[in-house]
Amino acid sequence: MDPLQPVLIKSSYFLMSLGDVDERAQSVSLHGFLLLTWVDEFLTWTPEEYGNLESIFVPVDRMWVPDVIFDNGVGEQFFKKEHYRPRIQSDGLVRWEVGGEIALLCDFAMHDYPFDEQQCKMELVTWAGTDDHIKLYGDIFDAKTYYQEHSNWHVSVPRVANITFTEEGESFSEVYFHFEIGRKSLSDVLNVIIPVILLSVLNGMVFLIPPESGEKICVALTLLLSFSVLQYTIDSSIPSQSDSPPLLDIYITLFVVCSCVVVVQSVFSVRLHCKQKKPITEGAKEFLRIYNKMARLMRCQIAKQNAIHVVHPAKMADTTNNEFTWLKVSSAFDSVWCVAYFLFFFIATAVVLVKLIHF
């Protein structure tokens, strides 16, 4: 054995299952085992001299084992436990399998929630020596042979990276076991995205409720509270990140603001409706004239596309009842807001869904 040569420790990790994924604590738990192999020339023998004994198991406190640890691990790790006994072969090859549950820190990026994919890694390091004495080498990261599927996440793209870094003039080796976890988003689509879209549609339907029904403001306030509760439910389950908040959270916040605007608009609409006994102002008359012209032009365009004969807008203006009332102003006010809201809703929803699903 050349004392000047470092001990080469080959490491392989075999993933068995994915445990708890805590987005708020930004940690992920893995169940599996780590296989470390190296050659110890002081632990060799001739099998014929010992009854053809090819291998033995030795307690960890009776022999040298590498002092390794997962640098980004959280809590207690499974190394140095008595029931993980290394197996020594007659040619000096040592196989040490250690396993159990390990919790790792992982930097979660929630911008694409619930279609997010997280990049995580296990950082295997040694505390006992530099590359001159111990050299770690990553061999295999197996996430298929023993792996059992998780109900909410899938694991993909396992790979191994061998890293060497220098600190204070000395070189150290590390092994990074990279893996990617992707969220199975069907549950979140059914429980979050679809309710958000439906609430947004109902928000726009408030403009179609007649003010005389007496329920316009109540429905608008109920939808505002529903948005607030839904947003709180989502925020309580995902980490808060000021630099990159979830796009869905931004979408919900945007429509919470829209819901507040709907409440304010409903109050004004009911107020206009209740002013029927008061004389109409010139500003309201001008608003109603502009609205009537736009409405007639739109009806003409639709009729042309459908090849329907219609009266010219100028002639139609002569046959239209020119009476101005607060009831008509209130109705026109609701119609303008309804069209504007649904245009904004369709554009915002399309943009968010395209960015989330990555078409």
Side-chain angles (χ1 to χ4, degrees):
M1 179 177 183
D2 188 354
L4 299 179
Q5 293 296 322
V7 178
L8 179 62
I9 301 175
K10 185 182 295 185
S11 58
S12 300
Y13 188 80
F14 297 85
L15 181 63
M16 302 179 69
S17 65
L18 190 65
D20 293 333
V21 179
D22 192 339
E23 294 99 327
R24 296 194 69 83
Q26 301 209 32
S27 65
V28 56
S29 298
L30 303 180
H31 297 270
F33 63 92
L34 180 71
L35 172 61
L36 300 174
T37 59
W38 68 93
V39 175
D40 192 336
E41 297 185 8
F42 292 105
L43 300 177
T44 60
W45 68 89
T46 302
E48 290 77 10
E49 297 179 0
Y50 297 91
N52 293 322
L53 183 65
E54 296 289 344
S55 63
I56 58 174
F57 290 90
V58 178
V60 293
D61 58 350
R62 302 293 300 273
M63 61 173 292
W64 178 88
V65 292
D67 190 8
V68 294
I69 194 172
F70 287 115
D71 196 26
N72 61 333
V74 180
E76 183 180 1
Q77 300 189 18
F78 46 63
F79 299 104
K80 298 288 187 181
K81 292 188 177 180
E82 295 180 357
H83 53 278
Y84 295 126
R85 297 188 175 189
R87 179 184 179 182
I88 307 173
Q89 297 181 6
S90 59
D91 57 357
L93 178 65
V94 181
R95 293 172 55 89
W96 187 31
E97 296 182 8
V98 291
E101 182 179 7
I102 179 72
L104 304 169
L105 291 175
C106 183
D107 188 13
F108 280 73
M110 303 299 298
H111 183 265
D112 294 332
Y113 170 85
F115 303 98
D116 52 315
E117 295 182 344
Q118 309 299 335
Q119 306 289 334
C120 301
K121 62 182 176 181
M122 295 182 290
E123 303 175 3
L124 185 66
V125 300
T126 176
W127 299 100
T130 63
D131 277 357
D132 296 333
H133 303 91
I134 299 175
K135 189 172 182 62
L136 288 176
Y137 173 75
D139 186 25
I140 298 173
F141 186 5
D142 188 343
K144 292 184 178 180
T145 305
Y146 306 101
Y147 182 69
Q148 296 180 353
E149 282 291 334
H150 193 272
S151 59
N152 296 324
W153 297 84
H154 62 83
V155 180
S156 60
V157 199
R159 60 186 179 88
V160 182
N162 296 293
I163 307 297
T164 301
F165 68 95
T166 303
E167 183 177 339
E168 296 182 355
E170 294 182 320
S171 296
F172 299 87
S173 58
E174 293 185 3
V175 177
Y176 289 175
F177 295 96
H178 294 270
F179 61 98
E180 183 179 288
I181 57 174
R183 189 187 305 271
K184 297 179 180 179
S185 56
L186 179 59
S187 175
D188 295 284
V189 169
L190 296 177
N191 297 319
V192 178
I193 292 183
I194 292 180
V196 168
I197 294 177
L198 292 178
L199 283 176
S200 301
V201 173
L202 291 178
N203 230 1
M205 301 301 290
V206 173
F207 300 112
L208 303 180
I209 300 177
E212 60 268 19
S213 67
E215 299 295 331
K216 193 178 185 72
I217 298 178
C218 292
V219 174
L221 287 172
T222 301
L223 289 171
L224 174 60
L225 293 176
S226 300
F227 267 114
S228 301
V229 171
L230 186 59
Q231 186 180 33
Y232 175 78
T233 302
I234 296 176
D235 288 343
S236 62
S237 62
I238 60 178
S240 56
Q241 297 177 335
S242 299
D243 54 344
S244 181
L247 189 59
L248 183 60
D249 200 15
I250 297 175
Y251 177 83
I252 296 176
T253 302
L254 187 62
F255 277 92
V256 168
V257 174
C258 288
S259 191
C260 294
V261 173
V262 170
V263 173
V264 174
Q265 189 276 341
S266 299
V267 172
F268 276 102
S269 179
V270 172
R271 182 176 175 82
L272 292 174
H273 184 269
C274 294
K275 295 174 66 176
Q276 295 184 40
K277 295 182 180 180
K278 296 182 180 181
I280 191 167
T281 62
E282 290 299 324
K285 290 181 180 180
E286 185 63 26
F287 166 74
L288 202 54
R289 290 191 188 97
I290 295 174
Y291 170 77
N292 288 335
K293 289 180 180 179
M294 293 180 61
R296 286 194 295 269
L297 288 174
M298 291 180 63
R299 285 196 293 267
C300 288
Q301 292 297 326
I302 294 174
K304 286 180 180 179
Q305 292 178 2
N306 295 326
I308 299 176
H309 176 72
V310 296
V311 181
H312 192 273
K315 296 182 179 179
M316 186 183 299
D318 297 333
T319 61
T320 304
N321 186 2
N322 291 322
E323 182 184 356
F324 297 105
T325 64
W326 285 112
L327 181 61
K328 292 183 178 181
V329 173
S330 176
S331 177
F333 189 61
D334 285 341
S335 299
V336 170
W337 275 96
C338 183
V339 172
Y341 175 86
F342 276 108
L343 281 176
F344 175 78
F345 164 74
F346 286 122
I347 294 174
T349 303
V351 170
V352 169
L353 290 179
V354 167
K355 286 184 174 293
L356 284 179
I357 305 177
H358 304 294
F359 283 123

